[in-house]
Amino acid sequence: MLDDIYNQKILEFAGNIARLQRLEQPQASAKAHSKLCGSTIEVDLVVTDGKVSDYGQTVNACALGQAASSVVGRQIIGSDLAELRQLRETMRAMLKEEGAPPAGKWEDLQYLEPVRNYPARHASTLLVFDAVVDAFEQIEPAS
């Protein structure tokens, strides 16, 4: 059963997390923690002209949280707040409402789609998206 969610792509992403370091001088930092499984992700952001220009993270999570963080670390540079909010909502909908997986530069997140059948794993999978939006909103508060 769990082989569905711990597929080869997820394990590859989890084993190769991009931007796995904290930034020396971030504009904002945020931490997301799952009480259910104990996973924690911390992110640092620098935003220039409304887009992410530097990013760092520490990831103490299961393979699912690691895989999501890996994809985010690879693709986040150049993203704006609206895109990251939409990505968070797309991921939430994919897992909780049988929504479609993200497309375009975020299409690798489709490999997390089988997680929808394991509600106890949703929290760790979504941590990075919550942390990224939280950090970005510290720089550009919601309007």
Side-chain angles (χ1 to χ4, degrees):
M1 272 173 59
L2 290 178
D3 289 346
D4 293 342
I5 59 174
Y6 294 107
N7 60 57
Q8 186 61 37
K9 287 299 268 186
I10 295 302
L11 297 177
E12 285 174 22
F13 292 137
N16 296 291
I17 302 172
R19 298 185 171 270
L20 193 56
Q21 77 289 325
R22 301 297 300 270
L23 300 182
E24 287 187 30
Q25 296 186 334
Q27 286 176 289
S29 299
K31 179 196 272 189
H33 176 74
S34 169
K35 292 178 184 173
L36 184 63
C37 69
S39 293
T40 302
I41 294 175
E42 295 180 79
V43 303
D44 296 324
L45 282 182
V46 174
V47 173
T48 305
D49 297 325
K51 297 184 185 290
V52 176
S53 57
D54 204 0
Y55 178 77
Q57 60 186 344
T58 56
V59 181
N60 295 308
C62 67
L64 302 171
Q66 292 173 13
S69 296
S70 181
V71 174
V72 169
R74 293 169 205 267
Q75 301 298 338
I76 194 167
I77 302 300
S79 297
D80 63 21
L81 180 54
E83 176 184 349
L84 294 170
R85 281 184 182 144
Q86 181 60 52
L87 178 62
R88 179 180 64 181
E89 294 315 308
T90 300
M91 287 298 296
R92 213 177 233 82
M94 179 184 84
L95 294 178
K96 298 180 180 291
E97 301 164 12
E98 297 193 26
K105 75 179 188 180
W106 300 106
E107 70 184 350
D108 281 342
L109 293 167
Q110 70 183 312
Y111 295 105
L112 290 161
E113 192 170 11
V115 177
R116 81 166 39 125
N117 298 321
Y118 302 89
R121 305 280 198 256
H122 292 180
S124 62
T125 305
L126 295 171
L127 286 176
V128 70
F129 307 101
D130 291 335
V132 164
V133 170
D134 180 11
F136 210 131
E137 287 178 342
Q138 292 173 39
I139 299 165
E140 294 185 9
S143 46

